[in-house]
Amino acid sequence: MELISYITQNNIAGFLLLLLRFSGLFAFFPFFENQLVPVSVRGALSFFCTFMFFPLLPSMNYDLSLVEFIIAGVMEIMLGFVSGSILNFVFSAITFGGDLMSFSMGLTMASAYDPVSGAQKPIIAQTIAMLALVLVLTLDFHHGLFLLVSESFVHLPLGTFALSNRIIEYCVSAFVTMITVGFSMAFPIVAILLLADIIFGMIMKTNPQFNLLAIGFPIKIAIGLFVITLVIPSVIYHFQNDLISAFEFIKTIFWDK
């Protein structure tokens, strides 16, 4: 009888809105939105988290009409999409940098299936992206997500999210920064391999018997791999700072600061 009395229209509406909030996060956040996590697992995880976090909801009146409830649900999905896009800009920057590295080394054809995105990616870009994903787990990113949601119930009640000029401006700035940071990550490799191409061209001019494909191509790959081992700590360091900065901005969205 106590359970039946607890199932009211207000509690059901709050439960569904909380389910949509978790569904938006698991659908668009990095690590959770990749192909390694099946849709059925994400759905079950969303329902489980909703069930566990529902007692933390403050007492509120969710007496909404059908149209108002649909709009509130769309805003919850939009919250996950916007937050996930902000973090994906950081991951896209490191992927873009890895693609430039692969292109400079001539390894664009050396692609393999990427289980994270479900597409073919150059091996260099895929390796750096997986290293970034391991760093994310090391920083307890997944635990921070749950803390973020639990603290948002008071500062950002369910169904009250709305896009603002501040969020749009940050997304535009993050998109521009993604291209700049990605090119900055790949610049040392691109510059050194460009210098290597100039040297190879001078050698071929003075020595036409020089076989560029048989000798120059493996040398370029070896030089590129050597430089990557030198710059990868700096790449991961800047990725960590950018990720923390993006997560801090997402906190201002969830906590309405």
Side-chain angles (χ1 to χ4, degrees):
M1 292 297 295
E2 293 182 0
L3 179 62
I4 295 177
S5 63
Y6 191 72
I7 303 177
T8 63
Q9 182 177 354
N10 187 70
N11 288 338
I12 292 176
F15 184 87
L16 292 178
L17 288 176
L18 181 58
L19 177 62
L20 289 174
R21 175 167 292 190
F22 274 110
S23 299
L25 296 179
F26 290 134
F28 299 108
F29 263 50
F31 176 72
F32 294 107
E33 53 87 27
N34 64 62
Q35 299 295 322
L36 293 175
V37 184
V39 177
S40 57
V41 174
R42 279 179 273 176
L45 186 60
S46 300
F47 184 83
F48 176 75
C49 291
T50 303
F51 184 79
M52 296 299 295
F53 280 76
F54 184 73
L56 300 178
L57 282 178
S59 299
M60 291 187 62
N61 182 19
Y62 298 105
D63 187 12
L64 305 173
S65 64
L66 179 60
V67 176
E68 292 174 339
F69 182 82
I70 293 176
I71 294 175
V74 171
M75 288 298 101
E76 290 300 325
I77 298 296
M78 182 64 69
L79 173 63
F81 174 74
V82 171
S83 304
S85 298
I86 292 174
L87 291 175
N88 275 314
F89 283 136
V90 181
F91 281 86
S92 298
I94 201 169
T95 302
F96 176 65
D99 289 338
L100 287 179
M101 295 177 190
S102 300
F103 179 78
S104 301
M105 296 169 61
L107 294 177
T108 51
M109 296 299 293
S111 300
Y113 176 76
D114 181 17
V116 176
S117 62
Q120 293 286 335
K121 280 188 177 181
I123 295 177
I124 300 298
Q126 190 176 147
T127 303
I128 298 177
M130 293 299 293
L131 183 60
L133 196 59
V134 172
L135 177 64
V136 167
L137 297 177
T138 304
L139 295 175
D140 283 340
F141 169 79
H142 48 304
H143 295 158
L145 172 62
F146 296 135
L147 179 62
L148 199 65
V149 175
S150 64
E151 293 291 336
S152 69
F153 295 149
V154 176
H155 303 286
L156 186 65
L158 298 176
T160 61
F161 171 74
L163 282 175
S164 62
N165 293 332
R166 179 173 61 91
I167 297 176
I168 296 175
E169 290 174 358
Y170 184 88
C171 290
V172 174
S173 175
F175 178 78
V176 176
T177 304
M178 175 192 74
I179 300 176
T180 305
V181 171
F183 183 77
S184 300
M185 291 178 179
F187 179 76
I189 290 88
V190 173
I192 291 178
L193 293 181
L194 179 60
L195 179 61
D197 286 335
I198 295 175
I199 295 175
F200 290 149
M202 296 173 63
I203 294 175
M204 290 187 64
K205 191 68 174 178
T206 57
N207 187 8
Q209 290 78 22
F210 179 75
N211 193 333
L212 181 62
L213 293 178
I215 301 176
F217 190 67
I219 292 177
K220 283 185 61 176
I221 295 177
I223 293 175
L225 292 176
F226 175 73
V227 177
I228 287 176
T229 57
L230 296 179
V231 302
I232 198 65
S234 177
V235 170
I236 296 301
Y237 175 78
H238 287 289
F239 168 79
Q240 176 181 338
N241 291 340
D242 292 340
L243 182 67
I244 293 175
S245 176
F247 202 75
E248 290 295 329
F249 181 80
I250 292 176
K251 284 183 180 179
T252 65
I253 298 177
F254 277 80
W255 296 350
D256 196 23
K257 292 182 180 178

